[in-house]
Amino acid sequence: MRVNFERLRFKNLNSYGNNWTEIDLGHGDLVVVTGKNGHGKSTFLDAISLALFGKPFREVKKGGIVNSTNRKDCRVELEFTIGLTKWRVVRGLKPTVFEIWKDGEKLDQLAKSHDMQKFLEVVLGFGHTTFCQIVALGSAKYTQFMNLPAADRRRVMEEVFSLSVFAPMLDEVKAQVSAAKKMIDKVTADARVVGAELKGKIETLETVRKNSADALAEKQAEMERAAAEAEEIEAETGRAIAECESRYSGISDAIKKSEEVVQAGVRAVATITTRIQSVERELSDLRKPAPKCDFCGKEFPADGIETKIAEREAELEKLRGNLAGAQDLLSKKRAELEAVRAKKAEFDAAMQDIRSRAAKADVLRRRAAALKLEIESYDDSRAAKLEAEVEEIRQQFTVLDEARTHWVNELRRAQSAQDVLRDDGVKAKIVRTYMPLFNKIMNDVLRQMGFDVAFYLDEQFCETIKSRGRDEFEYNNFSEGEKQRLNTAILFALRELVKVKNSAATNVLIIDEVGGGSLDEDGVASLCRLISGLDDSVFVITHDQAWVAHADRRVRAEKRKGFSAWIES
């Protein structure tokens, strides 16, 4: 629904002092705000942005907007209506205040201010990015729509098309998909366990039914074979372990020692290299030409310079020899380290083979123990009990199988909803429905401004521009004034579209030095004609006197005795 801003009041904000400054926002006039730089024109924008989003409009630290003289009790209050509901937002710094009032009653404080901010933006129907595109256009914050990154273009258009409502729905559906997958995994795992238990019980039941004296004798023989084979393997692996430990004794210490030697060699090479570089720099300095006399032009003698050069050259030659030796030694030690590591790898492979054989012995031991348990527990009366247990477990498995079928169906339903809520689903359909209207409004505005181009945004919010005499024209081919007219047309198209969609519509438009003077007098006049057709309160903050002649009301921001004042004339 449309947000109708009614009144803004603030104090101790930027250059404004402790007296309240009140601004009527619901008058429906074109108000031109002028004043010298630094006298508080743009504080108007900071005040609204602070009230709605908890941060100033301009890129300054939030604490830096508290009046530097009074240094406390910065307060902003903004009143607006949505439908029949009256809202008031109160923000303060030093001390911090954040209150939301609905129809004269203060709402309960949420646990976190972040949660309160999210609630407020849901009430408004738009966030800060859209606010900076269709409500408050300031030179310090506003980026022309055509210069926005693709992600920001999409964010603005989604709020205009009321598509942001699908984001929490998509998040909820994603959570349902995730929950369904987890439940499927859990039920499947539980069914696997129960199924294995059922299979085991059935096999046990069949065994009990088929058991006989001959079968028991065969089990006894199989048990003895398994135990004997396990004993043989255990003895073999014990010998193999002792042999490996003897053969590769101290291998870890050898690796550690070899690594320390290599590291020492690396440090030695680095030390020699550093010294060589130092000597080379000294030689370079010594070989530089001696300074000359300003009168005769002869070089000043340098005592002992040749001797020093010779000494450094000798030292350099020795160092290079040492470096070559250290590098050779390091290469050998590295080779020795690799050899020791290869030996360690042999040891690890041998131990892995031993562990594999030991595992086989463990399997045989468990098999022998299971056979022994079967032989000792053989009883014909067990069959009836096992049949009851099998039936109970089968019922558990059936319940789990039905639960898995249920969650598979839930997953399919959630995934279908997820497909619908993605960008290429219902969002794309809504965009496809409204983009022709958006393009029509935009081109109508361009014609009203006397700008003879055809401008279209596609469903991905990428532009196509056609100009007379050319099939296609690029945005950057236009002058700054023409670009300003294009982006102005987009702005008006957005505002008209939000009225149609009843999404991010408001009754206020604020323009603060946008365009940097790129509109000429004709451009300003055509823009004012467009503004006159709006049923909105429009504030233009400017130094350009071309706006003044078109104003319904004029306001001057002026400093008096060190504090700014909002003066209507």
Side-chain angles (χ1 to χ4, degrees), residues 7 21 139 176 187 221 273 277 327 365 368 553:
R7 188 177 68 147
T21 296
S139 57
Q176 292 175 6
V187 172
T273 301
Q277 293 170 348
Q327 289 173 334
R365 284 290 185 194
R553 293 159 54 191

Side-chain angles (χ1 to χ4, degrees), residues 180-196 397 399-405 407-408 411:
K181 287 181 177 179
K182 288 180 180 178
M183 288 304 299
I184 290 171
D185 291 342
K186 181 181 183 302
V187 172
T188 301
D190 292 344
R192 189 178 295 115
V193 171
V194 173
F397 186 83
V399 170
L400 289 171
D401 188 55
E402 290 174 352
R404 186 181 186 281
T405 300
W407 285 110
V408 167
L411 176 62

Side-chain angles (χ1 to χ4, degrees), residues 276-348:
I276 287 174
Q277 293 170 348
S278 177
V279 172
E280 287 176 340
R281 285 194 297 272
E282 290 180 20
L283 275 172
S284 177
D285 291 340
L286 290 170
R287 288 169 176 159
K288 288 180 180 178
K292 295 180 180 181
C293 176
D294 292 337
F295 296 99
C296 66
K298 294 182 179 180
E299 293 183 352
F300 291 110
D303 295 337
I305 191 68
E306 296 300 330
T307 302
K308 292 179 180 179
I309 290 174
E311 289 173 352
R312 294 297 179 273
E313 288 176 340
E315 182 182 358
L316 182 60
E317 184 176 357
K318 182 178 178 181
L319 286 169
R320 287 172 175 164
N322 292 344
L323 177 61
Q327 289 173 334
D328 290 342
L329 179 59
L330 178 59
S331 297
K332 293 176 182 178
K333 293 303 179 182
R334 281 178 170 157
E336 292 174 4
L337 174 59
E338 291 304 317
V340 177
R341 285 175 174 166
K343 194 172 182 182
K344 177 65 166 56
E346 293 176 2
F347 171 73
D348 292 340

Side-chain angles (χ1 to χ4, degrees), residues 240-512:
I241 289 172
E243 181 182 346
C244 274
E245 289 178 345
S246 173
R247 181 178 178 185
Y248 297 102
S249 177
I251 190 68
S252 296
D253 292 339
I255 289 176
K256 182 178 179 181
K257 183 177 179 181
S258 184
E259 287 175 342
E260 290 173 351
V261 170
V262 169
Q263 290 171 1
V266 170
R267 289 194 296 272
V269 168
T271 301
I272 296 171
T273 301
T274 300
R275 180 55 189 161
I276 287 174
Q277 293 170 348
S278 177
V279 172
E280 287 176 340
R281 285 194 297 272
E282 290 180 20
L283 275 172
S284 177
D285 291 340
L286 290 170
R287 288 169 176 159
K288 288 180 180 178
K292 295 180 180 181
C293 176
D294 292 337
F295 296 99
C296 66
K298 294 182 179 180
E299 293 183 352
F300 291 110
D303 295 337
I305 191 68
E306 296 300 330
T307 302
K308 292 179 180 179
I309 290 174
E311 289 173 352
R312 294 297 179 273
E313 288 176 340
E315 182 182 358
L316 182 60
E317 184 176 357
K318 182 178 178 181
L319 286 169
R320 287 172 175 164
N322 292 344
L323 177 61
Q327 289 173 334
D328 290 342
L329 179 59
L330 178 59
S331 297
K332 293 176 182 178
K333 293 303 179 182
R334 281 178 170 157
E336 292 174 4
L337 174 59
E338 291 304 317
V340 177
R341 285 175 174 166
K343 194 172 182 182
K344 177 65 166 56
E346 293 176 2
F347 171 73
D348 292 340
M351 290 302 296
Q352 179 61 37
D353 182 61
I354 291 170
R355 283 191 289 271
S356 297
R357 284 181 283 168
K360 182 179 179 182
D362 185 55
V363 171
L364 290 168
R365 284 290 185 194
R366 289 198 300 273
R367 177 58 180 161
L371 288 168
K372 181 180 179 182
L373 182 62
E374 289 180 15
I375 293 169
E376 292 175 348
S377 60
Y378 174 70
D379 185 355
D380 286 340
S381 63
R382 292 180 59 207
K385 182 181 178 181
L386 283 170
E387 286 174 354
E389 292 177 355
V390 166
E391 183 58 28
E392 181 182 355
I393 296 172
R394 183 177 281 116
Q395 290 177 2
Q396 294 177 14
F397 186 83
T398 300
V399 170
L400 289 171
D401 188 55
E402 290 174 352
R404 186 181 186 281
T405 300
H406 165 76
W407 285 110
V408 167
N409 290 334
E410 284 295 302
L411 176 62
R412 289 171 179 165
R413 179 195 61 77
Q415 286 176 331
S416 297
Q418 187 177 27
D419 291 340
V420 170
L421 293 171
R422 285 197 177 108
D423 288 346
D424 55 354
V426 66
K427 286 185 179 181
K429 186 175 181 180
I430 292 173
V431 170
R432 196 177 302 119
T433 299
Y434 282 97
M435 283 310 295
L437 175 60
F438 172 82
N439 286 321
K440 180 182 182 302
I441 295 172
M442 182 169 51
N443 283 284
D444 286 346
V445 173
L446 286 173
R447 282 191 293 273
Q448 290 179 49
M449 297 181 73
F451 194 17
D452 188 17
V453 296
F455 183 99
Y456 301 95
L457 287 180
D458 62 20
E459 294 169 17
Q460 302 302 318
F461 313 118
C462 298
E463 71 277 4
T464 299
I465 308 172
K466 295 183 178 181
S467 179
R468 179 178 296 177
R470 298 186 60 170
D471 291 337
E472 291 191 3
F473 209 65
E474 293 185 2
Y475 175 71
N476 287 326
N477 292 132
F478 291 111
S479 68
E480 291 305 311
E482 291 171 327
K483 289 179 181 178
Q484 180 67 18
R485 294 191 184 196
L486 276 175
N487 284 284
T488 299
I490 292 173
L491 165 65
F492 276 81
L494 288 174
R495 290 184 66 87
E496 286 301 312
L497 199 57
V498 296
K499 291 179 181 178
V500 173
K501 283 290 297 171
N502 203 22
S503 52
T506 75
N507 66 322
V508 169
L509 172 62
I510 307 165
I511 305 174
D512 180 10

Side-chain angles (χ1 to χ4, degrees), residues 177-234:
V177 169
S178 177
K181 287 181 177 179
K182 288 180 180 178
M183 288 304 299
I184 290 171
D185 291 342
K186 181 181 183 302
V187 172
T188 301
D190 292 344
R192 189 178 295 115
V193 171
V194 173
E197 184 180 2
L198 178 61
K199 181 181 178 183
K201 286 289 183 181
I202 291 173
E203 290 175 351
T204 302
L205 176 59
E206 292 173 352
T207 299
V208 168
R209 285 171 175 169
K210 294 178 181 178
N211 261 339
S212 64
D214 292 341
L216 289 175
E218 177 60 31
K219 290 181 185 298
Q220 181 70 31
E222 183 183 353
M223 180 190 71
E224 291 173 355
R225 287 195 300 271
E229 187 177 355
E231 185 175 350
E232 181 181 349
I233 292 174
E234 288 168 352

